[in-house]
Amino acid sequence: MRTPLVMGNWKLNGTKESVEALVKGLVEPANAASSVQVAVCAPVIFLGQVEQLTAGSKLAYGAQDADIHTSGAFTGENSPVMLKEFGCTYSLVGHSERREYHNESDEVVAGKFKAIQEYGLVPVLCIGESLEQNEAGETQAVVERQLKAVVDLCGIDAFNNAVIAYEPIWAIGTGKSATAEQAQAVHAGIRQWLAAQSADVAAKVQILYGGSVKAATAKELFSQPDIDGGLVGGASLIVDEFAGIIAAA
Ligand code: PGA
């Protein structure tokens, strides 16, 4: 059985004050959810604060991106080694906002995935199609292409220690979640594609759904056989909403 994982993605949000209130509010629901893994992906500047506030709790945390390099002349970047030193368990990689606003190709994303894993973090590979691709019936082809770039570089066994987040771009931040049936169909397709290479990996890997997940919609989404939790943006900034999503898992 796969353990459900509920992960918040704060994106470019937070102040010292709001981070303190949010993390303090989430420690108890995370500790109480004995059969659910809970994590938040914070802006790197808050990671030291999150490390202190989560000490001794079950609330895990991570970054939203990491550089391919470990150190050197790469102004503005953060390396997986640094993230590890700050106690991160996870790092997102290939979020659609990185792919779109920072021109991250499938190959760059695969390189980052490799570096994140190599330095002891669990990569959370974000994949998903645009509205146009969805309407053109290209969803499965898009997610396969995004997965294949990682498998080509790292091998299928890399997914023994990674998480996949399926996030249709048209559902992110729009308030328009995929229906549970729509999401389940894509998740099943992702698992089948992985199973063709390793049944064992496919059976074990957590595949999260992301895109306008709310406490009110989480239960139906998470009750689908191939949806193993959620990657949550907007609703992860509100203690009661995120706690409701944890409870649904
Ligand atoms: P959203 O964002 O929940 O605000 O739609 C999800 C994400 O981008 O990870």
Side-chain angles (χ1 to χ4, degrees):
M1 262 314 284
R2 296 179 296 269
T3 306
L5 170 61
V6 174
M7 182 173 281
N9 173 12
W10 295 351
K11 309 193 181 189
L12 186 54
N13 293 293
T15 61
K16 286 184 188 174
E17 197 184 336
S18 74
V19 165
E20 180 167 352
L22 184 53
V23 175
K24 282 186 170 167
L26 292 177
V27 160
E28 203 202 294
N31 284 343
S34 54
S35 54
V36 181
Q37 297 167 340
V38 185
V40 293
C41 292
V44 284
I45 197 160
F46 295 123
L47 286 174
Q49 193 187 357
V50 172
E51 180 179 28
Q52 287 180 358
L53 290 165
T54 55
S57 83
K58 249 195 75 199
L59 183 60
Y61 55 92
Q64 300 167 12
D65 182 41
D67 195 37
I68 292 179
H69 308 95
T70 53
S71 65
F74 304 101
T75 302
E77 298 295 345
N78 295 287
S79 88
V81 178
M82 295 170 180
L83 302 179
K84 184 75 186 168
E85 193 186 351
F86 276 77
C88 289
T89 302
Y90 299 99
S91 179
L92 303 182
V93 60
H95 190 281
S96 63
E97 287 149 19
R98 300 289 317 172
R99 293 179 190 263
E100 185 181 349
Y101 307 140
H102 301 268
N103 291 320
E104 291 190 7
S105 65
D106 291 334
E107 289 67 35
V108 166
V109 171
K112 289 185 168 190
F113 179 107
K114 186 166 188 276
I116 289 165
Q117 199 166 58
E118 208 164 293
Y119 294 99
L121 302 168
V122 178
V124 180
L125 176 67
C126 303
I127 58 176
E129 84 288 3
S130 67
L131 183 61
E132 299 76 58
Q133 290 166 331
N134 181 280
E135 287 173 347
E138 293 167 6
T139 300
Q140 182 68 21
V142 170
V143 297
E144 283 183 10
R145 190 197 74 222
Q146 293 171 327
L147 289 166
K148 185 174 180 296
V150 173
V151 172
D152 285 351
L153 185 69
C154 307
I156 186 72
D157 287 338
F159 284 97
N160 276 321
N161 195 25
V163 175
I164 295 168
Y166 167 61
E167 301 200 298
I169 297 169
W170 47 270
I172 295 177
T174 58
K176 188 181 157 215
S177 169
T179 65
E181 293 70 32
Q182 275 174 322
Q184 165 57 27
V186 181
H187 282 230
I190 292 168
R191 214 178 288 285
Q192 268 164 28
W193 186 85
L194 295 168
Q197 298 160 80
S198 168
D200 189 50
V201 168
K204 280 193 205 141
V205 68
Q206 291 162 314
I207 308 178
L208 314 183
Y209 167 78
S212 298
V213 176
K214 303 268 183 300
T217 55
K219 198 161 188 154
E220 207 193 336
L221 285 162
F222 298 168
S223 67
Q224 303 298 313
D226 289 297
I227 302 183
D228 307 313
L231 180 58
V232 184
S236 75
L237 298 168
I238 306 160
V239 171
D240 288 350
E241 267 296 310
F242 198 58
I245 295 168
I246 296 167

